Amino acid sequence: MPKWDEEKVHELAQYFRELEYLFRDCRVNDNRQKKDYAVRYLTYNTGETWMSVKEYEGEFTPTATHDEPEPAARAYTYEEWKAEIFKLYPGSESRD
């Protein structure tokens, strides 16, 4: 089971590598499922913080140009959400 101690910010990338190994092994491809599993193994407070990030549930609406129709909104991807998580922890630096 992946674990991460937020006192050890430099180990955040390893936490995600372990999760992603399990995602591949278990064929988890859905962005929402990946986000849900990522917060499952955290402390309550850390999980709540990660779920409060806009990219966890929010939708991204691309900007339309003057000669294009309004693009459809879409859910943020797991990768977009993960990038925002790394921003919460200076010094964690994603190593993907």
Side-chain angles (χ1 to χ4, degrees):
M1 170 179 6
K3 289 184 184 178
W4 181 63
D5 178 352
E6 64 184 283
E7 302 271 327
K8 299 177 182 175
V9 173
H10 63 282
E11 294 180 1
L12 182 58
Q14 179 61 31
Y15 174 74
F16 279 107
R17 277 193 296 274
E18 289 179 26
L19 278 173
E20 290 160 7
Y21 169 80
L22 292 172
F23 294 159
R24 285 187 301 277
D25 196 45
C26 298
R27 295 184 175 98
V28 176
N29 297 309
D30 181 72
N31 283 302
R32 180 54 195 230
Q33 279 187 308
K34 289 179 179 182
K35 294 176 197 179
D36 289 344
Y37 286 131
V39 300
R40 184 177 199 112
Y41 304 107
L42 303 170
T43 64
Y44 176 81
N45 289 334
T46 302
E48 288 293 308
T49 299
W50 288 22
M51 288 188 292
S52 72
V53 172
K54 172 183 72 172
E55 288 78 1
Y56 186 76
E57 294 208 35
E59 289 189 337
F60 171 76
T61 305
T63 307
T65 61
H66 66 281
D67 57 346
E68 293 178 1
E70 188 67 30
R74 64 165 176 79
Y76 284 98
T77 67
Y78 164 79
E79 291 297 329
E80 291 168 323
W81 172 77
K82 184 175 87 169
E84 294 304 311
I85 297 302
F86 276 98
K87 290 178 186 177
L88 296 175
Y89 302 97
S92 63
E93 295 146 9
S94 173
R95 295 182 189 146
D96 293 339

